[in-house]
């Protein structure tokens, strides 16, 4: 699942957008620097020592160089070094590139520091200034590599966890994929902010609110939305508000008391609650409604297509030379042995079956009584062929009181056809047992037949008519979450058990 995500493109564009955004902020400050003094980390030191301060020379150009270096470091680490480290044949190249990247960052940071903190050369000796800049630049370069490595490690851990969740719960694979992408982008932006911008309280608030939004997204699409769908939007909003308030209270008690920043925590909790309830929650509700509608339309299309295809396949399998020749041979043999009464009965049943297949088989639902009538005609017609064999036993226990229940046509007959085709032998004892009962609108259908070795000259030996797989597909499409099919086979017997919750109206 997660392997299908174009993660490299997502990471590249996230980093590029952040880099461009940081440059735009710097350019905006350049245009305003002539009118209003712009705050920068070291400006006050220049002014305290009565030194000339140039925004462009002492901040803008050095900062652009640093941003470009950080951006290039992320691309090199993420798209070159990390892939090399994951491939044994190229691991040595990845290991060699790490000190190269560290050295390049160290040199860049040291060079830009001579402009950012050039006031040190005026108040301290040149050796002191250079030594201080070299040491601090090395520490910063090491921390940049640690941040990149931590991002890569966290990304792989999250990917493995969400992939396992998608395997255990396939219905949530799309949710897991979206969460993974959101966390990757959130992590990339977080690393970029640490590199490109000063980490202020506002930045911490924003990152925390976004992370909580990702958490609520996963919780909503796996639990909350499904449970509150029938109750309406207000029930869902109340739950989101409750969760946000609970999380905010916990954060306020722990963070506000421990850090003594109650005002900061109160603002964060209030902003987070407003954002989640009035922006994120309605958006999640709308997305879920649209996805649910799309899934329903897709299911309807798949049902119609699968049903039409399966019905067509069944019609072709029933009207085939093998079945027709058997029926004709049965009628011919009966006509020679007895009077025309039995022959007429056989012809009548065959005609009823053909009319059923040509008229009612094309409908979406039919009366269960009509499906049972077709099944009994089929069994009676087959019985005419085998009734002269004393070792063959056909048993039926079919309930007649089926009320006004409806069922998809041709849903039961494949199991009976399969039992006669593969369970009857004119040379060995054979048995077919059919049972059909209705209890509280639920159909209980059982078919059991003997198993015989396949003959080499039997051209139908490897054919299962419509096939059990086709029946499984129809059941999944027509009765999702409303049926159970159990198929078992031993050395001597083949058994199927089917339960279906039926409806009274078409």
């Amino acid at each position: 699942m997660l392997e299908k995500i174009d993660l490299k493109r997502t990471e590249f564009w996230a980093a590029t957008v952040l880099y461009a955004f940081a440059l735009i902020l710097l350019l905006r400050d350049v245009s305003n620097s002539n009118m209003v003094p712009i705050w920068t980390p070291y400006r006050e030191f220049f002014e305290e020592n009565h030194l000339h301060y140039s925004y462009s020379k002492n901040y803008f150009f050095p900062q652009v160089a640093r941003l470009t270096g950080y951006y290039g470091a992320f691309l090199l680490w993420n798209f070159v070094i990390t892939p090399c480290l994951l491939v044994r044949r190229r691991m040595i190249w990845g290991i060699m590139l790490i000190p190269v990247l560290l050295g390049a960052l160290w040199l860049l940071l040291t060079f830009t520091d001579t402009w950012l903190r050039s006031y040190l050369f005026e108040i301290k000796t040149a050796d002191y200034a250079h030594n201080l800049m070299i040491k601090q630049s090395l520490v910063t370069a090491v921390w940049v590599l640690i941040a990149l490595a931590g991002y890569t490690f966290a990304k792989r851990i999250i990917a493995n966890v969400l992939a396992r969740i998608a395997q255990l719960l396939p219905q949530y694979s799309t949710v897991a994929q979206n969460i993974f992408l959101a966390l990757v982008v959130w992590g990339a932006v977080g690393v970029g902010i640490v590199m490109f911008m000063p980490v202020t309280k506002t930045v911490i608030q924003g990152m925390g609110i976004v992370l909580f939004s990702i958490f609520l997204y996963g919780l909503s699409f796996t639990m909350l939305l499904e449970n509150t769908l029938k109750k309406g939007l207000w029930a869902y909003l109340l739950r989101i508000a409750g969760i946000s308030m609970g999380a905010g209270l916990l954060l306020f008690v722990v963070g506000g008391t421990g850090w003594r920043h109650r005002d900061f925590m109160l603002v964060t909790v209030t902003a987070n609650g407003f954002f989640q309830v009035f922006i994120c929650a309605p958006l999640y509700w709308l997305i879920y409604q649209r996805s649910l509608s799309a899934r329903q339309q897709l299911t309807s299309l798949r049902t119609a297509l699968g049903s039409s295809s399966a019905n067509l396949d069944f019609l072709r399998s029933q009207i085939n030379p093998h079945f027709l020749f058997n029926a004709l041979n049965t009628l011919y043999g009966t006509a020679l042995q007895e009077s025309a009464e039995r022959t007429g009965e056989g012809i009548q049943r065959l005609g009823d079956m053909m009319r059923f297949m040509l008229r009612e088989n094309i409908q979406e639902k039919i009366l269960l009584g009509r499906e049972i009538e077709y099944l009994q005609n089929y069994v009676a017609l087959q019985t005419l062929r085998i009734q002269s064999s004393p070792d063959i036993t056909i048993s039926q226990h079919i309930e007649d009181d089926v009320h006004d229940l409806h069922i998809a046509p041709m849903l039961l007959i494949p199991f009976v056809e399969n039992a006669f085709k593969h369970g009857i032998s004119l040379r060995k004892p054979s048995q077919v047992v059919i049972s059909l009962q209705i209890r509280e609108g639920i159909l209980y259908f059982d078919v059991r037949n003997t198993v015989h070795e396949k003959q080499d000259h039997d051209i139908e030996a490897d054919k299962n008519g419509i096939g059990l797989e086709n029946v499984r597909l129809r059941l999944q499409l027509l009765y999702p979450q409303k049926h159970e099919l159990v198929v078992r086979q031993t050395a001597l017997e083949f058994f199927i058990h089917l339960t279906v919750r039926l409806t009274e109206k078409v």
Side-chain angles (χ1 to χ4, degrees):
M1 180 272 301
L2 295 175
E3 290 77 4
K4 297 181 180 180
I5 302 176
D6 194 352
L7 185 58
K8 290 185 177 180
R9 177 176 296 180
T10 302
E11 290 178 301
F12 171 79
W13 283 111
T16 302
V17 169
L18 186 62
Y19 172 64
F21 180 70
L23 291 180
I24 291 173
L25 291 180
L26 289 175
L27 289 172
R28 183 199 62 181
D29 290 340
V30 169
S31 62
N32 296 331
S33 61
N34 295 327
M35 297 179 291
V36 180
I38 304 299
W39 180 90
T40 60
Y42 304 113
R43 184 182 190 116
E44 57 180 325
F45 297 106
F46 282 87
E47 294 176 350
E48 287 177 359
N49 291 281
H50 307 286
L51 299 174
H52 174 70
Y53 181 81
S54 171
Y55 177 82
S56 299
K57 183 177 69 173
N58 297 116
Y59 186 76
F60 176 76
F61 289 113
Q63 200 65 9
V64 168
R66 285 196 170 196
L67 291 177
T68 305
Y70 291 149
Y71 176 66
F74 177 81
L75 297 183
L76 181 64
W77 176 274
N78 207 53
F79 302 123
V80 179
I81 295 178
T82 300
C84 288
L85 294 176
L86 297 177
V87 179
R88 182 173 300 179
R89 294 179 301 174
R90 302 172 58 192
M91 185 178 296
I92 186 65
W93 292 105
I95 296 175
M96 292 174 61
L97 285 174
I98 292 177
V100 173
L101 177 59
L102 177 62
L105 282 174
W106 186 14
L107 181 63
L108 174 66
L109 294 174
T110 302
F111 177 77
T112 54
D113 233 11
T114 60
W115 296 97
L116 290 170
R117 298 197 291 176
S118 61
Y119 65 91
L120 288 174
F121 293 98
E122 301 294 335
I123 63 176
K124 300 288 185 180
T125 64
D127 291 339
Y128 174 86
H130 281 301
N131 290 334
L132 181 63
M133 293 175 184
I134 290 173
K135 291 178 182 178
Q136 292 186 350
S137 296
L138 177 60
V139 173
T140 304
V142 171
W143 274 112
V144 169
L145 291 188
I146 291 175
L148 292 173
Y151 165 75
T152 301
F153 180 75
K155 179 177 65 177
R156 294 186 63 83
I157 293 295
I158 294 172
N160 291 333
V161 171
L162 293 179
R164 182 64 58 87
I165 293 175
Q167 291 177 356
L168 296 177
L169 303 170
Q171 66 271 31
Y172 299 134
S173 59
T174 302
V175 177
Q177 174 177 307
N178 293 337
I179 292 175
F180 176 68
L181 279 175
L183 289 176
V184 167
V185 174
W186 179 83
V189 171
V191 173
I193 288 176
V194 173
M195 292 180 177
F196 298 163
M197 305 176 185
V199 181
T200 62
K201 289 183 178 181
T202 304
V203 171
I204 296 176
Q205 287 175 336
M207 294 295 291
I209 291 174
V210 172
L211 182 61
F212 192 75
S213 300
I214 297 173
F215 165 75
L216 277 187
Y217 169 83
L219 189 64
S220 295
F221 278 80
T222 54
M223 294 178 56
L224 297 181
L225 285 168
E226 184 177 355
N227 295 335
T228 58
L229 187 62
K230 295 182 180 179
K231 298 179 181 179
L233 175 60
W234 287 110
Y236 171 64
L237 292 178
L238 288 176
R239 291 197 179 187
I240 292 294
I243 294 172
S244 300
M245 290 177 61
L249 180 62
L250 179 63
L251 179 63
F252 184 80
V253 171
V254 176
T257 303
W259 297 344
R260 301 181 183 276
H261 293 305
R262 293 181 177 82
D263 294 340
F264 171 68
M265 290 296 172
L266 184 60
V267 172
T268 302
V269 170
T270 304
N272 179 67
F274 181 87
F275 183 74
Q276 305 303 337
V277 174
F278 294 102
I279 297 179
C280 290
L283 179 62
Y284 296 159
W285 178 272
L286 179 62
I287 293 174
Y288 186 80
Q289 290 282 7
R290 290 192 175 184
S291 64
L292 186 62
S293 176
R295 287 200 302 269
Q296 290 174 347
Q297 292 180 2
L298 180 61
T299 300
S300 300
L301 291 174
R302 290 179 58 193
T303 300
L305 180 61
S307 179
S308 300
S309 177
N311 288 339
L312 180 59
D313 290 342
F314 187 84
L315 187 61
R316 289 172 176 172
S317 70
Q318 290 294 87
I319 308 176
N320 62 65
H322 180 77
F323 174 78
L324 291 178
F325 282 137
N326 280 342
L328 291 175
N329 287 336
T330 298
L331 296 177
Y332 178 76
T334 303
L336 294 180
Q337 295 173 11
E338 299 183 356
S339 63
E341 182 178 350
R342 292 180 60 215
T343 304
E345 178 187 354
I347 293 175
Q348 181 182 4
R349 291 186 182 277
L350 181 61
D352 291 341
M353 292 175 64
M354 297 298 292
R355 280 191 295 272
F356 177 88
M357 287 188 290
L358 293 176
R359 295 178 182 177
E360 300 189 56
N361 186 37
I362 62 176
Q363 299 180 28
E364 182 179 353
K365 295 287 182 63
I366 62 171
L367 286 169
L368 178 58
R370 291 292 295 144
E371 179 78 2
I372 292 175
E373 182 181 345
Y374 177 84
L375 188 151
Q376 291 175 328
N377 282 333
Y378 181 89
V379 173
L381 195 58
Q382 291 288 354
T383 303
L384 287 175
R385 178 171 63 93
I386 60 178
Q387 67 178 4
S388 60
S389 300
D391 293 334
I392 300 178
T393 303
I394 308 297
S395 299
Q396 297 184 68
H397 306 282
I398 299 179
E399 188 172 319
D400 295 330
D401 187 12
V402 295
H403 306 288
D404 293 329
L405 296 176
H406 289 75
I407 192 173
M410 295 292 187
L411 199 62
L412 306 179
I413 192 64
F415 302 108
V416 179
E417 180 199 35
N418 186 74
F420 276 97
K421 181 174 294 185
H422 302 286
I424 298 297
S425 173
L426 300 178
R427 293 184 296 274
K428 298 180 182 180
S430 305
Q431 182 183 35
V432 174
V433 180
I434 304 170
S435 172
L436 188 150
Q437 294 181 336
I438 303 295
R439 294 291 182 271
E440 298 180 355
I442 300 178
L443 168 71
Y444 297 90
F445 185 62
D446 299 286
V447 179
R448 187 172 72 250
N449 62 271
T450 50
V451 175
H452 303 288
E453 295 182 1
K454 298 178 181 180
Q455 303 296 322
D456 296 337
H457 61 277
D458 186 1
I459 61 175
E460 294 291 326
D462 296 327
K463 297 181 179 180
N464 293 321
I466 192 174
L468 292 181
E469 289 304 318
N470 190 287
V471 182
R472 291 181 193 273
L473 175 61
R474 292 189 70 205
L475 287 169
Q476 291 174 2
L477 294 173
L478 299 173
Y479 297 96
Q481 309 297 326
K482 295 181 180 180
H483 79 278
E484 180 183 4
L485 177 62
V486 178
V487 179
R488 296 176 182 171
Q489 181 173 356
T490 65
L492 301 176
E493 190 176 64
F494 187 85
F495 169 80
I496 72 101
H497 171 73
L498 173 66
T499 60
V500 183
R501 181 173 295 278
L502 303 178
T503 58
E504 294 186 359
K505 296 181 179 180
V506 179

